[in-house]
Amino acid sequence: MPDRVGYNEWMRMLRAAIEAIRTNHEALSKLDSFGGDGDHGTTMVRAMACVEKAAEAAPPDVESLLRDVGWGVMGVDGGATGPLFGSLFMAMGEAAAGSEPLDAAGLADMFEAGLAGVQKRTRAKVGDKTMIDALVPATVALREAVEAGASVSEAMSRAAEGAEQGAAATKAMQARFGRAKNVGEQSIGEQDPGAASVSLILRAFSEALVP
Ligand code: ADP
Ligand code: MG
């Protein structure tokens, strides 16, 4: 397998992410019931339906695929999730322009751009108990792996580990953004649902790239 990620690989990655969210949506809603309104799993399932629809219709290149997927997710109603995950995918697509199929460094560029896209929509930082707590360590781990010479699939696996560790760390945090902020200390003790979604998606991406 060439060490590049093109349209076919991204389609596999997206399908794996859709599957992972569908399998785990009840657990995601349960996490959201501790501090939020208990809808994160169902909202993510709706987001994944948009991912599926947009992916089927998109032109067969990574830039268009991710951009169209992002647009689709952006339109999901139900609070914070649509704009945050939508801008993640859209910015990733824009970053893929002109460098397809992507090598590991190109993949790291995509995730850094995606993170920057999310950060345009929220001032949440690491430690605030949001999806940022999974996305930042994933992106950092991905770049570090690339700089250490990792293959695409190794680098994506490191990113998934980073996301999982970041999501696990949110258990001990008190929410400072989103609805969970309103419950104060009661938000301590369980993972942030958005961070859990990011880690599921990145693990699915990683498994889809195992040679
Ligand atoms: P809502 O809170 O509108 O019901 P969801 O339940 O679908 O939306 O998603 C909640 C998740 O979204 C949180 O766990 C958190 O990760 C993320 N989130 C919510 N608001 C913000 C924000 N302002 N900045 C960053 N992430 C946020
Ligand atoms: Mg919610």
Side-chain angles (χ1 to χ4, degrees):
M1 181 159 128
D3 204 33
R4 296 248 168 195
V5 182
Y7 170 79
N8 290 335
E9 287 75 27
W10 267 106
M11 282 297 279
R12 279 215 311 275
M13 290 159 76
L14 290 172
R15 286 197 192 103
I18 293 166
E19 180 75 29
I21 295 294
R22 285 182 177 154
T23 306
N24 292 286
H25 73 96
E26 283 172 7
L28 293 171
S29 283
K30 191 161 175 221
L31 287 177
D32 192 34
S33 70
F34 290 98
D37 52 0
D39 68 346
H40 184 66
T42 51
T43 304
M44 285 303 290
V45 165
R46 277 189 288 124
M48 291 302 120
C50 295
V51 169
E52 195 168 43
K53 197 168 159 228
E56 276 162 18
D61 63 89
V62 180
E63 179 192 358
S64 307
L65 176 63
L66 274 287
R67 212 189 36 218
D68 290 4
V69 159
W71 264 113
V73 172
M74 193 80 86
V76 171
D77 55 343
T81 301
L84 291 169
F85 281 89
S87 39
L88 172 68
F89 290 127
M90 268 179 63
M92 288 173 78
E94 280 157 19
S99 48
E100 312 179 21
L102 298 122
D103 59 10
L107 204 57
D109 292 343
M110 278 180 79
F111 276 89
E112 283 169 1
L115 171 63
V118 175
Q119 285 169 332
K120 280 192 193 147
R121 303 217 158 234
T122 176
R123 298 160 83 95
K125 300 267 183 296
V126 168
D128 290 336
K129 198 178 180 107
T130 70
M131 62 182 293
I132 292 287
D133 285 294
L135 209 45
V136 167
T139 305
V140 169
L142 179 52
R143 177 62 71 190
E144 282 173 1
V146 170
E147 281 173 359
S151 67
V152 158
S153 92
E154 284 163 359
M156 200 59 233
S157 159
R158 287 292 135 68
E161 274 164 31
E164 284 163 356
Q165 283 164 13
T170 63
K171 270 193 192 183
M173 295 174 189
Q174 180 172 336
R176 283 196 280 267
F177 281 82
R179 286 179 210 268
K181 181 181 158 192
N182 301 326
V183 304
E185 286 183 5
Q186 269 183 55
S187 65
I188 300 172
E190 294 291 339
Q191 280 190 30
D192 173 66
S197 280
V198 169
S199 75
L200 284 170
I201 291 170
L202 267 66
R203 177 56 65 193
F205 284 175
S206 164
E207 283 172 1
L209 288 178
V210 171

